[in-house]
């Protein structure tokens, strides 16, 4: 329904917003690693919680993902019908995807 459309649209906007701050040193840039960060945030886009869900196995790579999230705050204002979801459940952000 409408909520799914809003969610997908917002997710694309958020992903684009955060990936602008995703910077890796050249020696890490071509590695096949992935990592995932869980982020909960409020109606203003301010981070309430961030935690590593899945490590890439490389501390610097994981740190760059967390830094991309932190540098991106505040996030774009979420749709009103999704605020409570992002506050309570949060969203999983995958890097480098």
């Amino acid at each position: 329904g409408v909520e799914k459309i809003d969610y997908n649209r917002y997710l694309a906007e958020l992903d684009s917003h955060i990936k602008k701050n995703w910077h890796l040193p050249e020696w890490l840039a071509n590695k096949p690693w992935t990592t995932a960060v869980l982020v909960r945030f409020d109606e203003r886009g301010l981070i309430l919680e961030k935690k590593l869900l899945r490590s890439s196995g490389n501390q610097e790579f994981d740190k760059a993902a967390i830094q991309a999230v932190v540098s991106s705050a505040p996030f774009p204002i979420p749709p009103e019908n999704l605020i409570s979801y992002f506050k309570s459940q949060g969203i999983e952000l995958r890097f480098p995807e």
Side-chain angles (χ1 to χ4, degrees), residues 32-77:
W33 298 325
T34 61
T35 190
V37 178
L38 177 73
V39 183
R40 291 187 317 104
F41 54 96
D42 68 14
E43 65 280 351
R44 296 168 296 166
L46 299 175
I47 296 171
L48 301 171
E49 177 189 20
K50 63 188 175 316
K51 67 180 178 184
L52 197 62
L53 281 182
R54 280 190 310 281
S55 174
S56 65
N58 180 283
Q59 192 174 4
E60 290 299 313
F61 191 90
D62 295 346
K63 202 161 82 175
I66 295 281
Q67 187 57 50
V69 169
V70 170
S71 297
S72 299
F75 298 155
I77 303 296

Side-chain angles (χ1 to χ4, degrees), residues 6-8 10-11 14 38-43 46 48-49 76-79 81-92:
D6 285 349
Y7 180 85
N8 288 338
Y10 181 75
L11 191 59
L14 183 62
L38 177 73
V39 183
R40 291 187 317 104
F41 54 96
D42 68 14
E43 65 280 351
L46 299 175
L48 301 171
E49 177 189 20
I77 303 296
N81 60 337
L82 296 172
I83 290 170
S84 63
Y85 178 81
F86 291 131
K87 271 184 165 178
S88 62
Q89 302 297 309
I91 191 166
E92 180 180 333

Side-chain angles (χ1 to χ4, degrees), residues 17-44:
H17 179 77
I18 291 171
K19 296 304 162 53
K20 289 178 198 162
N21 294 305
W22 170 239
H23 306 291
L24 286 174
E26 197 165 316
W27 65 275
L28 281 177
N30 296 318
K31 302 294 184 191
W33 298 325
T34 61
T35 190
V37 178
L38 177 73
V39 183
R40 291 187 317 104
F41 54 96
D42 68 14
E43 65 280 351
R44 296 168 296 166

